[in-house]
């Protein structure tokens, strides 16, 4: 006996050939899938404002509404920000200003309950629309809660098909708001951790001392994503023999262990340099031997150097350094000429093998020249060859050859992006003119 496939669902068409409504179970599955997709979209980012935008976008898409908005509240309940969807002209939003915290929208904040309005214009608490605001007829809103506190009011207006909002729409928006509250709380915790980690990292780095007659400036920028604790560092000090000691380094790894290891290696290197004042290769070799005290040897790349003046006042400055598996320093002349100090005898990172010999190198530092030491986060991108980043750095530094060092460091940090795959340390030093030492 043949079976009509439509009989599985009761019937495929109503009388007269009209298509019958899908079974309720199929509709429920569709709504659930749509809701899960919306929740997933909200949860893909960890920056608070991005999450807020995704909440509004997901709400309008979930219920197929023309307009959506989220009014962000401060602790007193005043609207301090408004994220909108469906109003294409950003100037219109600026002219309309923020909601004043009274009228129809504030009822959901006061009552902590959802709000559904079939005709906004006839509602007793409607305060009307400001000039330039799109006219909206129907409204559905829910309070957005974070840890039992109303963070804002989420509302949508006017469905695309012109029908009023119903119980299903309200249920979907309420469920989205509940999940969005969790995502928003996660985003806020994430940003709190980022700030705390960055503060901790910066506190571990030194304040540069007065290195006159040399000028000096330094910058540290943490990685954009957690964990923001990294192993990059810089340091500079005047040694007992009068030379200026400089170092930039990067501890292997990007986890929470890298930062304290960085502090230990930096302090050990400082102590060795102050105690011995020897050539750079000898100082780095002593550091290699000192690291053998660790049960699990930490490794790091670094450039350790001495800047000294030959023949007293009026003599030429010279940079002597030892490179332990690190990117080469960049020398920028006052005329904009650039050169990476990359001799052929390149050492391995410290902490690998204490018996491996180290090498010292020397290069003159002309008057008003700038020496840049930096970590790989400044030039390395996951989607390009590192040589491109090095060339870009040299070009930018050449254009700012005579700029104040603080300005130079700021420009190098922000020259091409706002997102850092790795943390960044930069140390810049500039020699004085041919005149006597200040």
């Amino acid at each position: 006996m043949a079976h009509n496939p439509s009989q599985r669902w009761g019937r495929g068409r109503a009388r007269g050939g009209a298509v019958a409504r899908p079974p309720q179970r199929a509709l429920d599955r569709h709504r659930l899938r749509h809701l899960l997709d919306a929740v997933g979209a909200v949860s893909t980012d960890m920056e608070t404002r991005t999450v807020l935008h995704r909440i509004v976008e997901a709400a309008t898409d979930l219920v197929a509404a023309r307009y959506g908005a989220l009014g962000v509240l401060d602790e007193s309940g005043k609207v301090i920000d408004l994220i909108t969807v469906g109003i294409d002209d950003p100037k219109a939003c600026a002219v309309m200003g923020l909601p004043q915290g009274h009228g129809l929208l504030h009822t959901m904040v006061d009552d902590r309950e959802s709000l559904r309005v079939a005709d906004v214009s006839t509602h007793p608490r409607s305060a009307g629309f400001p000039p330039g605001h799109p006219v909206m007829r129907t409204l559905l809103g829910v309070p957005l809660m974070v840890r039992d506190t109303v963070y804002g009011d989420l509302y949508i207006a006017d469905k695309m098909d012109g029908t009023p909002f119903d119980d299903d729409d309200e249920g979907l928006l309420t469920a989205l708001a509940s999940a969005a509250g969790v995502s928003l709380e996660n985003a806020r915790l994430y940003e709190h951790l980022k700030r705390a980690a960055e503060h901790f990292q910066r506190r571990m780095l030194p304040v540069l001392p007065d290195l006159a007659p040399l000028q000096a400036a330094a910058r540290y920028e943490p990685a954009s994503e957690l964990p923001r604790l990294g192993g990059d560092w810089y340091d500079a000090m005047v040694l007992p023999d009068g030379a200026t000691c400089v170092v930039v380094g990067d501890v292997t790894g990007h986890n929470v262990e890298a930062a304290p290891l960085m502090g230990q290696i930096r302090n050990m290197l400082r102590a060795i340099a102050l105690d011995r004042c020897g050539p750079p290769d000898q100082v780095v070799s002593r550091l290699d031997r000192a690291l053998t005290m660790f049960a699990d040897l930490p490794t790091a790349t670094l450039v350790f150097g001495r800047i000294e003046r030959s023949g007293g006042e009026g003599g030429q400055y010279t940079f002597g350094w030892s490179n332990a598996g690190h990117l080469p320093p960049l020398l920028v002349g006052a005329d904009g000429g650039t050169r990476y100090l990359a001799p052929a005898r390149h050492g391995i990172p410290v902490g690998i093998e204490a018996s491996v010999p180290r090498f010292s190198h020397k290069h003159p530092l002309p008057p008003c020249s700038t020496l840049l030491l930096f970590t790989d986060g400044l030039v390395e991108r996951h989607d390009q060859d590192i040589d491109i980043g090095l060339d870009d750095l040299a070009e930018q530094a050449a254009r700012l050859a005579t700029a104040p060092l603080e300005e130079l460091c700021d420009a190098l940090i922000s020259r091409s992006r706002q997102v850092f795959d790795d943390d960044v340390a930069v140390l810049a030093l500039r020699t004085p003119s041919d005149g006597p030492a200040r």
Side-chain angles (χ1 to χ4, degrees), residues 319 321 323 327-331 339-343 346 363-365 371:
F319 177 53
W321 78 100
N323 190 323
L327 291 174
L330 175 64
L331 181 60
R339 175 177 180 174
Y340 281 104
L341 305 182
H346 197 70
H363 196 279
L365 299 180
L371 181 67

Side-chain angles (χ1 to χ4, degrees), residues 186-226:
N186 288 340
R188 294 171 68 185
L189 289 172
Y190 176 82
E191 292 187 352
H192 175 74
L193 286 173
K194 286 171 65 175
R195 290 192 297 269
E198 179 179 349
H199 177 71
F200 175 78
Q201 181 81 7
R202 291 187 187 280
R203 289 291 298 271
M204 295 186 69
L205 295 172
V207 176
L208 291 181
D210 182 6
L211 302 176
L214 296 172
Q215 300 176 43
R219 291 291 184 275
Y220 174 80
E221 189 68 30
S224 299
E225 301 298 328
L226 287 177

Side-chain angles (χ1 to χ4, degrees), residues 34-341:
H34 205 180
L35 174 61
L36 292 175
D37 289 343
V39 171
V42 168
S43 305
T44 54
D45 286 281
M46 294 300 288
E47 297 294 334
T48 298
R49 188 163 181 84
T50 303
V51 171
L52 293 174
H53 273 283
R54 287 193 176 275
I55 290 172
V56 184
E57 290 171 350
T60 54
D61 180 64
L62 184 62
V63 189
R66 294 184 185 278
Y67 307 105
L70 197 162
V72 181
L73 309 177
D74 63 12
E75 293 181 357
S76 67
K78 180 181 178 182
V79 180
I80 57 173
D81 197 5
L82 184 68
I83 292 92
T84 63
V85 168
I87 302 177
D88 299 326
D89 185 3
K91 294 181 180 179
C93 294
V95 171
M96 289 184 289
L98 298 175
Q100 298 303 306
H102 56 77
L104 182 59
L105 294 179
H106 209 67
T107 58
M108 71 182 84
V109 177
D110 294 336
D111 301 338
R112 295 193 172 199
E113 294 180 354
S114 59
L115 174 70
R116 194 187 336 161
V117 180
D119 190 344
V120 172
S121 63
T122 61
H123 194 280
R125 291 198 60 177
S126 176
F129 299 107
H133 194 289
V135 176
M136 300 176 181
R137 180 171 177 270
T138 60
L139 180 78
L140 176 62
V142 294
L144 187 61
M145 308 285 291
V146 177
R147 290 186 178 270
D148 297 325
T149 299
V150 180
Y151 185 89
D153 44 20
L154 171 65
Y155 56 95
I156 54 178
D158 295 354
K159 293 176 69 171
M160 293 288 190
D161 61 7
T163 60
F165 295 109
D166 57 24
D167 291 341
D168 290 333
D169 298 327
E170 185 174 334
L172 287 172
L173 191 63
T174 301
L176 174 64
S178 178
V182 175
S183 296
L184 183 56
E185 177 68 0
N186 288 340
R188 294 171 68 185
L189 289 172
Y190 176 82
E191 292 187 352
H192 175 74
L193 286 173
K194 286 171 65 175
R195 290 192 297 269
E198 179 179 349
H199 177 71
F200 175 78
Q201 181 81 7
R202 291 187 187 280
R203 289 291 298 271
M204 295 186 69
L205 295 172
V207 176
L208 291 181
D210 182 6
L211 302 176
L214 296 172
Q215 300 176 43
R219 291 291 184 275
Y220 174 80
E221 189 68 30
S224 299
E225 301 298 328
L226 287 177
R228 285 165 72 88
L229 294 174
D232 290 17
W233 87 93
Y234 59 81
D235 203 356
M237 58 184 173
V238 178
L239 298 175
D241 63 0
T244 297
C245 163
V246 296
V247 61
V248 160
D250 182 1
V251 173
T252 303
H254 302 97
N255 52 35
V256 293
E257 296 179 357
L261 283 175
M262 174 271 288
Q264 290 175 300
I265 294 175
R266 180 176 70 86
N267 289 335
M268 292 171 71
L269 185 56
R270 223 174 206 262
I272 294 170
L274 283 168
D275 180 56
R276 298 304 176 100
C277 295
D281 63 310
Q282 293 183 18
V283 172
V284 178
S285 289
R286 291 189 182 102
L287 176 63
D288 270 322
R289 292 194 292 272
L291 291 177
T292 61
M293 64 180 286
F294 289 88
D296 187 10
L297 284 180
T299 59
T301 67
L302 61 87
V303 171
F304 173 83
R306 290 167 52 96
I307 300 175
E308 44 197 330
R309 199 169 199 171
S310 59
E313 291 187 5
Q316 186 180 45
Y317 280 93
T318 300
F319 177 53
W321 78 100
S322 185
N323 190 323
H326 201 79
L327 291 174
L330 175 64
L331 181 60
V332 185
D335 60 355
T338 60
R339 175 177 180 174
Y340 281 104
L341 305 182

